[in-house]
Amino acid sequence: MTTQTLPTHKLWFAALKPPMYSVAVIPIWVGSAIAWSEQQQLNIPIFWTFLSAAILIIAWLNLTNDVFDADTGIDVNKAHSLVNLTGNQSLIFWLANGFLGLGCLGLVAIAWWQQDVTVLALILLSCFLGYTYQGPPFRLGYQGLGELICFITFGPLAVFAAYYSQTQTWSTRPLPAAIIIGLTTSLILFCSHFHQIADDLSAGKRSPIARLGTARGARLLPWICGGIFGLILMFMVFKLFGHGVVLSFVSLPLAIHLCRHVWRYHDQPDLVKDCKFIAVGLHFVSGLLLGIGLLA
């Protein structure tokens, strides 16, 4: 069953992308876990305010991506685009901006409570980079730079912002974890291109898979996944991670499943499209366990 023939409620579920909101949760969880491991306490109001703001900002990103993709015509065959479902691009655009405004209010509240604008500045920078992915006149995602933007925003910027929100200090300690989270988040975006390569190429979007082709992309995927777990081991060897993070290797079967799934179906869009949700699961489980390991 293709997305064109899915029941309406399933199209709405696909359009709203509930699993994707884990990309807001995991960086804040990991950054806060590192802060907890250092000071043995957590500012609960700050944590929940930051998490709520991050979820609202992800909603803004998801909705504006549909809006900007509608402008380029790349989503013309995407039945689960919110713009296509509602037939009202302007409504989705202003709804997205409303989510962004509410998210920024949460960040302003944190800045006011702490009398410190650092977290606000870091996340506003992340928002700007997120806009450049699809938004005019940048549309850097069309140049194949989406994964790099994803790595920076959901890795170093988000993890350091979460850490700083709890400690109001700078440290290099979150950097290894930020690298891992940035890579697993970028992996989701990388996998999302396999099933839409035809639409990407027709719209002039030079995503990594559009440049490589699905077969070479499928062959590259095990190296990416292996590199992520290899980095975790390396950080443990160099004592940048404690031994507790070995817990994250429980997610290794998900990485193996992802690679096998993509290799088997890389040239079958209706079957390979589920790989991005496997990547979301890998990101969530590995990030959750990484944070728990960092607490040890």
Side-chain angles (χ1 to χ4, degrees), residues 2-4 73-81 84 198-200 202:
T2 69
T3 55
Q4 302 291 340
I74 198 171
D75 277 355
V76 66
N77 296 315
K78 185 178 178 182
H80 58 286
S81 160
N84 292 340
D199 287 340
D200 284 355
S202 65

Side-chain angles (χ1 to χ4, degrees), residues 91-103:
L91 170 66
I92 301 302
F93 177 71
W94 288 110
L95 185 61
N97 288 333
F99 286 138
L100 176 63
L102 290 172

Side-chain angles (χ1 to χ4, degrees), residues 3 5-15 79-80 85:
T3 55
T5 58
L6 283 174
T8 301
H9 71 279
K10 291 189 176 181
L11 286 174
W12 276 99
F13 183 87
H80 58 286
L85 279 170

Side-chain angles (χ1 to χ4, degrees), residues 2 7-8 30 41 62 65 70 78 116 128 171 186 194 288:
T2 69
T8 301
V30 170
Q41 62 180 5
N62 285 339
N65 280 347
K78 185 178 178 182
D116 187 338
F128 171 72
S171 170
S186 298
F194 278 97
L288 177 67

Side-chain angles (χ1 to χ4, degrees), residues 162-202:
Y163 174 82
Y164 191 94
S165 72
Q166 293 293 326
T167 64
Q168 288 190 269
T169 60
W170 292 105
S171 170
T172 59
R173 190 170 175 228
L175 182 58
I179 291 171
I180 300 301
I181 299 305
L183 288 172
T184 57
T185 311
S186 298
L187 183 63
I188 298 171
L189 183 58
F190 181 81
C191 289
S192 72
H193 297 304
F194 278 97
H195 74 287
Q196 59 188 36
I197 184 171
D199 287 340
D200 284 355
L201 288 171
S202 65

Side-chain angles (χ1 to χ4, degrees), residues 24-266:
V25 174
I26 292 301
I28 295 172
W29 154 245
V30 170
S32 300
I34 297 169
W36 170 275
S37 70
E38 290 184 353
Q39 58 190 21
Q40 300 302 304
Q41 62 180 5
L42 189 72
N43 187 315
I44 299 298
I46 294 289
F47 176 82
W48 285 111
T49 301
F50 196 176
L51 185 59
S52 300
I55 290 171
L56 288 165
I57 290 170
I58 294 298
W60 165 72
L61 280 174
N62 285 339
L63 268 62
T64 52
N65 280 347
D66 278 1
V67 170
F68 298 139
D69 279 343
D71 287 337
T72 65
I74 198 171
D75 277 355
V76 66
N77 296 315
K78 185 178 178 182
H80 58 286
S81 160
L82 283 168
V83 173
N84 292 340
L85 279 170
T86 62
N88 194 332
Q89 184 174 348
S90 179
L91 170 66
I92 301 302
F93 177 71
W94 288 110
L95 185 61
N97 288 333
F99 286 138
L100 176 63
L102 290 172
C104 287
L105 280 178
L107 298 172
V108 169
I110 293 173
W112 182 74
W113 289 334
Q114 297 186 329
Q115 295 297 293
D116 187 338
V117 299
T118 302
V119 173
L120 176 63
L122 288 172
I123 301 305
L124 286 180
L125 176 58
S126 294
C127 290
F128 171 72
L129 290 174
Y131 175 84
T132 66
Y133 171 63
Q134 295 284 63
F138 306 100
R139 300 196 191 278
L140 297 182
Y142 283 70
Q143 308 306 315
L145 297 175
E147 280 74 10
L148 177 61
I149 292 170
C150 194
F151 172 81
I152 295 170
T153 54
F154 293 102
L157 286 178
V159 173
F160 272 98
Y163 174 82
Y164 191 94
S165 72
Q166 293 293 326
T167 64
Q168 288 190 269
T169 60
W170 292 105
S171 170
T172 59
R173 190 170 175 228
L175 182 58
I179 291 171
I180 300 301
I181 299 305
L183 288 172
T184 57
T185 311
S186 298
L187 183 63
I188 298 171
L189 183 58
F190 181 81
C191 289
S192 72
H193 297 304
F194 278 97
H195 74 287
Q196 59 188 36
I197 184 171
D199 287 340
D200 284 355
L201 288 171
S202 65
K205 185 174 183 178
R206 304 297 293 169
S207 66
I209 299 304
R211 293 175 183 272
L212 292 169
T214 60
R216 282 196 289 178
R219 286 195 292 268
L220 179 61
L221 191 57
W223 291 95
I224 298 172
C225 292
I228 291 170
F229 287 97
L231 279 173
I232 294 173
L233 279 176
M234 186 184 76
F235 291 147
M236 289 174 60
V237 169
F238 286 98
K239 301 189 184 305
L240 299 175
F241 280 159
H243 290 103
V245 299
V246 74
L247 188 63
S248 63
F249 276 76
V250 172
S251 64
L252 185 57
L254 279 171
I256 295 170
H257 175 47
L258 173 64
C259 295
R260 287 177 173 172
H261 181 85
V262 171
W263 177 247
R264 184 175 182 181
Y265 301 118
H266 67 85

